[in-house]
Amino acid sequence: MKLIPILTEATRNACRELFDFTPEDAHVQLQLTSRDFAGQMTLVVFPFVKHARKSPEQCGEAIGNWFVANVSEVVGFNVVKGFLNLEISDAYWKQSVKEVIENERHGMGIPNSKPLVLVEFASPNTNKPLHLGHLRNIFLGDSVASLLEAAGHSVKRVQIINDRGIHICKSMVAWKRFGNGETPEISGLKGDKLVGKYYVAYDKQYKAEVEDAVQNGVPKEQAEKEAPILLEAQEMLRAWEQKEPEVYALWEKMNGWVYDGFDVTYDSLGVSFDKLYYESETYLFGKEEVERGLSKEIFYRKEDGSIWVNLEDAGLDHKLLLRSDGTAVYITQDIGTAIQRTIDFPKMSQMVYTVGNEQEYHFKVLFAVLAKLGYRWASQCHHLSYGMVELPEGKMKSREGTVVDADDLVEGMTDTAREISEELGKLEELSQEEREQLYSQIGGAALKYFLLKVDARKNMLFNPRESIDFNGNTGPFIQYAHARISSLLRKAADVKRASSGNLQLSESEQNLALKLERFPVVIEESATKYSPAELANYLYDLVKDFNSFYQSMAVLKEENVALRTFRLELTEACGRVIRTGLGML
């Protein structure tokens, strides 16, 4: 926001001349003026009172008068206790709007001027298709990456594909038992959905075996540990780590099915990655690192042969790093992956992990382990934690097959957009192909925006029909405003324009110009906080302000050519910011 540095420097000069001291920039507190008072920017004068030896009101009056006399951008002021409310000139707002039109990125970071950030997201298991929970992860990570790029960072989008472990072997065992050679081609199912089908089949069989054992007098805890299908999966994991040919070939085949299915889903979501990491590769690096830590007595070995780390000095517990049989646990591969990424991207300044909040303790442990191993960059690792997504009917469970499949949800959103759009009408002039593209765009925006507008740390309830409401805080509501702006500007293509001259702007026009001026600040804050929700809600507020302006002010019908020109420029600037902001989401 260009106005902030102008007013900051002016405040320093005013204090120097009036009170014979120069405040540090950190003590110059500027904020948006409350709508209850005249003005657009407010200076907090309390930090200057001691040096000025005046009351807050007297201090504010003195600085306000100095501003009016010496700062062309300030044309008036009022003082409310220790708050100096500044009225910014119409000339400034008119120039600001022109700059938005010339470059809506004005004031944002120069591309690639800031250090490289790695953003990890998606990171699915290869035992099931992507679901609604994955979508919040994917949209959050991809949007954060876009925000960091807009703020000037170089960014690499990466993911770790969890393609090994007991959960993968569960699907493999079930397919061997019940699959009868079924393939995606034979079944007509996407590969990830086929494998997910057998993950559900495993859980059903496991529960049946446990129940049968309990009925025969075996204690439940013992039955859960000794269920034949679980023992078979555990043995398969050991065989996989030994790379036994038959097991390894089955693993490659079923993972291949899943990767093909994932690619279709990612393509439909408009998401891509710069680098893929595979747990089946990085866990080996992690095991080597654990052994190194053991040799340096950073870690310790128990009598059963398992390797642990004591993290009590970090306020954590003791953590298993390698099992007694030498097989890796989840954190083993995370250690290896993190180190491998610093080798692949030596100029990396931050590593952001987009993972649900149920893993918060896991990442505290991971970062603490990396620090114990002597990696100073461990302090630059950040867990972008987010809450769970639930549906009106309750929580989803992958093992029981009650999740909402991502592909089905995307298709369902398109269907809902079709239904609501046809109810509203106004599409008669479009071909069927154009309509279908429109339904897809509206449905996709509804889904992405609804999952991003809520603070990532909060759990949320996803209601598909509510997300596509054209009158609420939704993606389609913002899209519709942009469509309205585009239509207006098309109609204005041949309208006579003139220099806006010395026009007097309404409060509505000033507020809208101020909102547009804040766009780069919102981008910077959203990127710094890893919070697309801040941008989403800024766009919603911008659209509400634009709609208020549009409904109360004549634009095309304004007879004053200079005023009509400015209003068209203001409209165009809003359209550009909306388009750019939605692109980042």
Side-chain angles (χ1 to χ4, degrees):
M1 188 172 182
K2 193 176 66 173
L3 192 57
I4 297 292
I6 291 173
L7 297 179
T8 297
E9 183 59 26
T11 301
R12 286 165 54 85
N13 291 336
C15 288
R16 187 182 302 117
E17 290 189 24
L18 295 171
F19 312 129
D20 199 28
F21 90 101
T22 305
E24 297 179 8
D25 285 353
H27 294 152
V28 180
Q29 301 171 29
L30 288 157
Q31 59 195 36
L32 298 179
T33 302
S34 167
R35 292 202 174 184
D36 295 331
F37 304 103
Q40 292 83 39
M41 296 299 300
T42 295
L43 175 67
V44 181
V45 300
F46 291 113
F48 317 137
V49 169
K50 181 179 177 180
H51 295 277
R53 296 175 182 169
K54 296 178 181 292
S55 70
E57 291 83 357
Q58 291 172 327
C59 184
E61 285 285 341
I63 296 175
N65 284 317
W66 189 94
F67 267 67
V68 171
N70 295 279
V71 182
S72 62
E73 289 82 4
V74 178
V75 294
F77 70 92
N78 62 86
V79 179
V80 181
K81 297 183 179 179
F83 300 93
L84 170 60
N85 302 319
L86 303 171
E87 298 172 30
I88 307 303
S89 71
D90 289 343
Y92 177 83
W93 295 127
K94 286 182 280 191
Q95 181 58 34
S96 176
V97 168
K98 286 182 180 294
E99 290 177 357
V100 172
I101 294 173
E102 292 168 2
N103 183 3
E104 60 264 35
R105 287 180 54 92
H106 180 77
M108 291 193 278
I110 300 170
N112 304 323
S113 62
K114 297 180 182 178
L116 173 66
V117 180
L118 262 62
V119 180
E120 176 197 289
F121 60 98
S123 303
N125 298 328
T126 57
N127 65 328
K128 55 192 174 185
L130 302 173
H131 56 65
L132 174 56
H134 287 118
L135 291 181
R136 189 178 198 191
N137 179 305
I138 291 167
F139 297 153
L140 180 60
D142 194 40
S143 184
V144 164
S146 294
L147 287 166
L148 289 165
E149 287 171 333
H153 286 277
S154 297
V155 176
K156 294 294 182 182
R157 291 165 169 82
V158 301
Q159 69 167 322
I160 176 71
I161 298 174
N162 300 301
D163 62 344
R164 62 164 291 281
I166 191 68
H167 51 294
I168 308 300
C169 291
K170 288 175 180 178
S171 292
M172 292 165 62
V173 165
W175 185 84
K176 280 192 69 176
R177 280 202 186 189
F178 315 121
N180 296 316
E182 185 177 26
T183 67
E185 291 75 21
I186 292 172
S187 66
L189 290 173
K190 279 178 71 218
D192 53 337
K193 294 187 179 182
L194 178 63
V195 174
K197 167 185 168 183
Y198 287 100
Y199 185 60
V200 174
Y202 168 91
D203 189 63
K204 182 178 179 181
Q205 179 65 22
Y206 171 74
K207 287 179 177 176
E209 291 179 359
V210 170
E211 179 63 25
D212 186 57
V214 170
Q215 292 293 329
N216 288 308
V218 179
K220 185 177 181 182
E221 185 175 345
Q222 180 182 345
E224 289 173 342
K225 291 180 179 178
E226 297 178 356
I229 197 167
L230 172 62
L231 297 178
E232 190 176 344
Q234 291 173 339
E235 179 55 37
M236 182 173 278
L237 177 60
R238 284 189 285 273
W240 180 87
E241 291 210 2
Q242 296 300 317
K243 289 197 174 182
E244 291 187 9
E246 182 181 348
V247 171
Y248 207 78
L250 175 60
W251 171 79
E252 289 184 313
K253 176 167 66 176
M254 293 183 71
N255 272 351
W257 294 343
V258 174
Y259 299 149
D260 290 343
F262 285 170
D263 286 344
V264 171
T265 304
Y266 289 140
D267 185 61
S268 72
L269 300 176
V271 170
S272 61
F273 298 91
D274 298 298
K275 179 86 174 172
L276 304 181
Y277 292 88
Y278 297 89
E279 184 182 353
S280 57
E281 298 170 356
T282 60
Y283 91 99
L284 295 170
F285 196 180
K287 289 178 73 171
E288 292 175 5
E289 194 68 16
V290 170
E291 294 289 352
R292 184 180 74 84
L294 181 67
S295 69
K296 292 192 173 185
E297 299 184 347
I298 300 170
F299 308 142
Y300 66 94
R301 191 189 299 274
K302 286 190 175 182
E303 290 183 1
D304 65 357
S306 58
I307 300 176
W308 294 70
V309 60
N310 180 356
L311 297 174
E312 290 178 347
D313 58 349
L316 303 170
D317 208 338
H318 292 245
K319 177 66 179 179
L320 173 67
L321 300 177
L322 276 180
R323 297 188 185 94
S324 57
D325 62 3
T327 56
V329 293
Y330 194 67
I331 202 166
T332 316
Q333 66 89 5
D334 271 352
I335 294 169
T337 304
I339 297 169
Q340 183 61 55
R341 286 172 178 167
T342 64
I343 295 170
D344 294 341
F345 301 101
K347 294 183 179 180
M348 180 196 67
S349 66
Q350 281 180 291
M351 201 182 313
V352 179
Y353 293 83
T354 311
V355 183
N357 57 14
E358 76 277 10
Q359 294 294 331
E360 285 182 356
Y361 185 80
H362 171 86
F363 282 99
K364 288 178 181 178
V365 170
L366 173 63
F367 302 158
V369 169
L370 291 170
K372 271 190 175 295
L373 287 167
Y375 294 109
R376 286 180 292 181
W377 46 261
S379 62
Q380 301 303 311
C381 294
H382 176 77
H383 175 205
L384 175 51
S385 175
Y386 63 90
M388 296 297 98
V389 184
E390 294 186 9
L391 294 162
E393 53 266 32
K395 191 174 183 179
M396 302 176 291
K397 297 179 181 178
S398 296
R399 292 174 187 156
E400 297 178 9
T402 60
V403 299
V404 176
D405 180 90
D407 299 315
D408 293 344
L409 181 57
V410 170
E411 183 178 346
M413 293 300 297
T414 300
D415 291 342
T416 303
R418 180 185 297 108
E419 177 186 342
I420 293 176
S421 298
E422 290 178 353
E423 286 175 5
L424 295 173
K426 302 181 181 179
L427 299 178
E428 292 78 8
E429 73 280 7
L430 298 181
S431 68
Q432 191 59 41
E433 182 179 352
E434 288 171 329
R435 292 186 193 187
E436 291 303 320
Q437 182 182 11
L438 181 66
Y439 303 145
S440 176
Q441 289 172 335
I442 293 172
L447 179 59
K448 288 184 178 182
Y449 184 88
F450 203 87
L451 293 178
L452 289 173
K453 73 175 183 178
V454 177
D455 186 322
R457 294 165 295 184
K458 297 179 180 178
N459 291 343
M460 67 174 297
L461 185 70
F462 177 72
N463 186 317
R465 193 166 185 90
E466 182 184 333
S467 74
I468 217 159
D469 185 352
F470 281 80
N471 295 306
N473 184 5
T474 67
F477 174 74
I478 299 173
Q479 283 181 312
Y480 187 75
H482 186 270
R484 171 182 280 171
I485 288 169
S486 299
S487 175
L488 189 151
L489 293 176
R490 283 194 300 272
K491 293 175 182 176
D494 299 323
V495 171
K496 182 180 178 182
R497 301 196 185 197
S499 173
S500 53
N502 296 318
L503 296 175
Q504 185 171 355
L505 304 184
S506 67
E507 183 178 352
S508 174
E509 291 164 326
Q510 291 174 341
N511 288 338
L512 198 50
L514 174 61
K515 186 82 72 177
L516 292 170
E517 167 111 353
R518 288 197 66 246
F519 183 51
V521 177
V522 173
I523 297 302
E524 188 67 39
E525 290 178 349
S526 300
T528 300
K529 297 176 183 178
Y530 311 113
S531 178
E534 300 223 359
L535 173 59
N537 288 287
Y538 162 84
L539 292 175
Y540 176 57
D541 287 341
L542 174 64
V543 167
K544 287 195 298 182
D545 282 354
F546 170 77
N547 287 345
S548 176
F549 154 77
Y550 179 82
Q551 290 163 9
S552 62
M553 301 282 169
V555 179
L556 287 179
K557 293 182 179 180
E558 172 57 51
E559 295 182 358
N560 183 318
V561 178
L563 184 55
R564 182 173 65 213
T565 298
F566 171 74
R567 290 177 179 172
L568 286 170
E569 290 173 347
L570 189 59
T571 299
E572 182 178 354
C574 286
R576 287 174 177 267
V577 167
I578 291 169
R579 182 186 65 214
T580 301
L582 285 181
M584 293 175 194
L585 297 177

